[in-house]
Amino acid sequence: MKKLNTINQKIEDSYDEQVYSGRAFPQAHPNRLYVIGCLCGLSPEPVDKCRVLELGCATGENIIPMAFHLPQSEFVGADISLLQIQKAKEVIKGLDLENIEVKKADLMEIDESWGKFDYIISHGVYSWVPEEVENKVLEISSQNLAKNGLAYISYGTFPGCNTKMMAREMILYHTKKFSDNQQKFEQARALLEFIKSYTEEDSTYYKQIMQSYEDMFSSNNESCFFHDYTENYNRPSYFKDFMKKAGESGLAFVHEAEVGSSSLFGLPPEIQNTLNSVCSTFEEKEQYFDFLENRSFRQSILCSSDEKANISRNVTYEGIKNLYCYLPSKIMIPDEIVTDGQMQAIRNINNVGIDCSSPLIKNAVKILQESNEGCIRIDDLFDSSFKGLVLDAGVESHTESQKQLFTSGIIQGYTVNFFGLSALDFGYKLTVSEKPKVSRMALFQARNNYSIVNQRHELVAVDALAMKFVSLLDGTNSKKTLLVEFEKFVQAVFDRDQSTIATGAAIEDELNTFLDKFKSIGLFVG
């Protein structure tokens, strides 16, 4: 125990010295866990009135927005770093939240006295701690999980992590000469550039590996670098070994949090057929899928072993009809969706899409695209889509097979992030009001220079100009006032940089671009 306490102190010191720059992870939100649970035949607790525990909550970038947007739910965060917990408490106080508590806690000390939780989240912890703590994460995820509860654990995996471990060992060897973190970061980059220059004329796989890690360093994400490449612990595992330990702790595999990264949806039919012929369980197929994909990272959703018999991965209309559907991004292609049996390629602004001939699914896309509301309940969406068939083709009544075809089309789109699914209506608007308004959460984040999270718990990529603009969107400023204030800010930037001032028309165009962007990504609440 004394040895473990010493190790935990080292972990605490490292996270105090180099604060981990966490963020919101939509795949680790109770909403995502609920949706996946429903798709797999389970009955998770409603997310608007649930109890959530996050292990390794860091400075709260993930759990605090959850608590803000789900005021009737209760949230508890635990982290070993006192410095990071103090930062989280400052944000909680600034937002005046009463449904969340964050604690400076050693995970080894969490026991049944903490109570039961409907959702337990552990992102970026499991593979980066000693084996005793890994086992404790699984123990907590089992003993503190409520009936019908779901747990989320992310972890590094082989075979993909073999190359990362190679880079890590070289970096550890080279940077041991340096004590300053900034020096370590710069020297690690220099080492990889040096190796890359040596292999410049080569076309081997080794050169490609070095290039990929040099690209990683170009993002300048120092906190991720330190915790992936210089921490005392980085212990990837094969999926089969992770699941063996999870099973011994009383947990069963449900699905990956990223639906498209599963063997159930991510493989062509001929590969599926081969795996079906050689694999006796879904978990075994998942391990082969990791071999095929050279996977280095998993985000697995688990339930109690007592619930394993209830898991069904044959998605039904009944299983999803009460979920909400939305379009994560604006549709760009085609200009007009033709609601007949003709095959059309439908793509959004991220070039993500579906090739679709189903009039039902085409109607659904049109309805979602033309709606002023962010989300539509799937049962209502089917009814509205079917009414389009009645008008277009004279169809008199729907059949169960049509409902299942509709389900298949929605799930196909969901696996590639063309459609989004949610347990509840996010409450955002797809219109720009006369006095645009973002949530109090987004306003607080913008005014304090924090990362901005939208209503869907997604990180919003913004520069300094956009951040300033968001800080004005409190619902009291008309578009005319926003333009005046925006011009003042732009003028100050140009004066500071001694640049040529933009014209009033250009500034107005930029403002309208921001408004259109924020509308499409679920940032407006009024």
Side-chain angles (χ1 to χ4, degrees):
M1 181 60 73
K2 183 177 179 181
K3 179 183 177 183
L4 186 58
N5 288 339
T6 303
I7 290 170
N8 286 343
Q9 186 61 53
K10 287 182 178 179
I11 294 172
E12 179 182 351
D13 291 344
S14 72
Y15 278 82
D16 282 347
E17 181 181 354
Q18 181 68 43
V19 174
Y20 184 77
S21 58
R23 61 181 179 85
F25 298 101
Q27 69 274 23
H29 193 289
N31 183 50
R32 176 71 64 85
L33 275 60
Y34 179 93
V35 168
I36 301 297
C38 289
L39 296 185
C40 292
L42 299 176
S43 302
E45 288 300 308
V47 299
D48 55 348
K49 290 184 179 179
C50 66
R51 194 160 188 256
V52 180
L53 170 65
E54 182 172 26
L55 306 176
C57 66
T59 52
E61 284 95 336
N62 191 43
I63 194 172
I64 293 174
M66 293 180 193
F68 177 86
H69 289 119
L70 297 171
Q72 300 303 312
S73 294
E74 179 186 349
F75 295 82
V76 178
D79 200 278
I80 197 169
S81 168
L82 178 60
L83 178 61
Q84 299 203 67
I85 287 295
Q86 288 172 337
K87 287 179 178 291
K89 286 183 175 180
E90 290 172 7
V91 177
I92 292 167
K93 183 178 179 181
L95 288 164
D96 196 27
L97 298 179
E98 297 182 351
N99 64 330
I100 178 172
E101 179 183 12
V102 291
K103 304 178 182 181
K104 194 273 184 190
D106 182 341
L107 298 190
M108 299 301 293
E109 297 171 356
I110 296 177
D111 56 24
E112 293 180 348
S113 68
W114 283 53
K116 299 287 187 180
F117 296 87
D118 302 303
Y119 300 95
I120 298 177
I121 299 160
S122 177
H123 185 87
V125 176
Y126 183 85
S127 292
W128 298 269
V129 291
E131 184 175 8
E132 296 93 329
V133 185
E134 283 184 353
N135 295 336
K136 186 63 178 180
V137 169
L138 293 171
E139 179 186 310
I140 295 167
S141 299
S142 179
Q143 76 173 13
N144 292 86
L145 198 63
K147 181 177 173 59
N148 299 323
L150 293 172
Y152 164 103
I153 300 176
S154 71
Y155 49 102
T157 57
F158 293 125
C161 271
N162 280 309
T163 53
K164 181 178 283 189
M165 291 300 101
M166 177 181 68
R168 170 180 158 85
E169 288 166 9
M170 290 189 289
I171 288 168
L172 285 173
Y173 178 80
H174 179 63
T175 59
K176 68 183 178 181
K177 311 176 184 70
F178 308 96
S179 57
D180 179 73
N181 281 344
Q182 185 60 39
Q183 272 190 307
K184 284 187 176 185
F185 185 75
E186 292 170 354
Q187 285 295 320
R189 175 186 285 166
L191 172 66
L192 294 182
E193 287 176 350
F194 175 63
I195 296 173
K196 183 198 166 193
S197 69
Y198 179 77
T199 60
E200 198 64 48
E201 302 303 319
D202 204 345
S203 59
T204 63
Y205 183 50
Y206 186 54
K207 176 186 174 182
Q208 296 172 25
I209 293 170
M210 289 301 105
Q211 179 63 57
S212 70
Y213 286 110
E214 186 186 19
D215 293 344
M216 183 274 294
F217 278 95
S218 68
S219 69
N220 286 314
N221 192 335
E222 292 185 31
S223 67
C224 286
F225 158 71
F226 284 111
H227 296 303
D228 262 349
Y229 292 94
T230 68
E231 282 292 351
N232 293 319
Y233 295 93
N234 191 338
R235 298 164 37 83
S237 61
Y238 282 99
F239 173 69
K240 63 181 179 63
D241 296 327
F242 172 81
M243 281 312 306
K244 182 175 185 295
K245 291 176 69 173
E248 291 169 351
S249 296
L251 295 166
F253 181 67
V254 179
H255 206 278
E256 284 298 287
E258 297 285 7
V259 177
S261 64
S262 160
S263 63
L264 190 64
F265 300 109
L267 293 171
E270 61 273 17
I271 302 297
Q272 286 276 18
N273 291 338
T274 300
L275 290 184
N276 288 337
S277 68
V278 300
C279 300
S280 58
T281 66
F282 183 66
E283 289 79 5
E284 194 176 355
K285 284 177 63 177
E286 286 290 288
Q287 180 59 79
Y288 276 96
F289 189 49
D290 285 6
F291 295 156
L292 292 170
E293 292 284 313
N294 193 34
R295 195 202 293 264
S296 63
F297 188 66
R298 270 188 174 267
Q299 302 167 99
S300 297
I301 299 175
L302 309 167
C303 68
S304 168
S305 296
D306 295 339
E307 292 289 315
K308 186 172 183 178
N310 297 323
I311 297 173
S312 171
R313 298 183 180 92
N314 296 316
V315 184
T316 65
Y317 181 81
E318 286 299 310
I320 71 167
K321 69 178 184 179
N322 291 316
L323 299 177
Y324 288 81
C325 189
Y326 62 94
L327 294 174
S329 299
K330 185 178 179 180
I331 303 298
M332 295 298 289
I333 299 173
D335 293 331
E336 181 183 1
I337 296 173
V338 182
T339 53
D340 58 14
Q342 161 187 336
M343 180 67 74
Q344 277 188 296
I346 306 174
R347 300 290 183 269
N348 62 25
I349 57 174
N350 299 317
N351 199 32
V352 171
I354 53 175
D355 296 327
C356 182
S357 61
S358 165
L360 269 174
I361 296 299
K362 289 183 179 183
N363 275 333
V365 175
K366 286 186 68 175
I367 291 164
L368 289 167
Q369 188 177 21
E370 295 167 3
S371 172
N372 291 330
E373 302 300 319
C375 304
I376 299 177
R377 188 168 163 267
I378 284 183
D379 211 22
D380 297 331
L381 183 61
F382 175 80
D383 286 343
S384 298
S385 300
F386 183 77
K387 285 176 184 176
L389 282 186
V390 173
L391 294 173
D392 294 340
V395 179
E396 295 183 1
S397 61
H398 62 71
T399 63
E400 289 305 311
S401 63
Q402 284 174 319
K403 283 187 173 181
Q404 197 54 44
L405 285 171
F406 183 78
T407 300
S408 298
I410 294 294
I411 297 303
Q412 178 195 354
Y414 181 56
T415 60
V416 296
N417 201 34
F418 178 78
F419 291 122
L421 295 178
S422 173
L424 67 170
D425 186 341
F426 292 116
Y428 62 85
K429 304 297 180 183
L430 295 177
T431 55
V432 181
S433 67
E434 180 55 34
K435 294 183 178 180
K437 182 180 181 181
V438 297
S439 72
R440 190 166 59 88
M441 180 85 223
L443 204 63
F444 177 88
Q445 290 168 327
R447 290 176 175 174
N448 290 278
N449 204 33
Y450 296 140
S451 299
I452 296 175
V453 178
N454 67 9
Q455 297 293 106
R456 303 195 300 243
H457 200 66
E458 298 165 344
L459 198 64
V460 177
V462 291
D463 57 19
L465 197 59
M467 185 80 81
K468 175 64 177 178
F469 186 55
V470 174
S471 72
L472 300 171
L473 301 176
D474 60 3
T476 65
N477 294 313
S478 66
K479 292 179 185 177
K480 184 177 180 180
T481 303
L482 288 171
L483 181 58
V484 171
E485 293 299 317
F486 196 50
E487 281 182 324
K488 288 180 184 177
F489 179 72
V490 173
Q491 177 70 59
V493 172
F494 276 93
D495 288 347
R496 183 196 67 198
D497 297 341
Q498 297 182 331
S499 305
T500 304
I501 184 66
T503 65
I507 294 174
E508 186 172 2
D509 286 344
E510 188 72 10
L511 181 144
N512 288 328
T513 298
F514 282 144
L515 289 174
D516 188 59
K517 174 185 176 181
F518 296 157
K519 174 188 72 174
S520 67
I521 60 175
L523 205 55
F524 288 133
V525 296

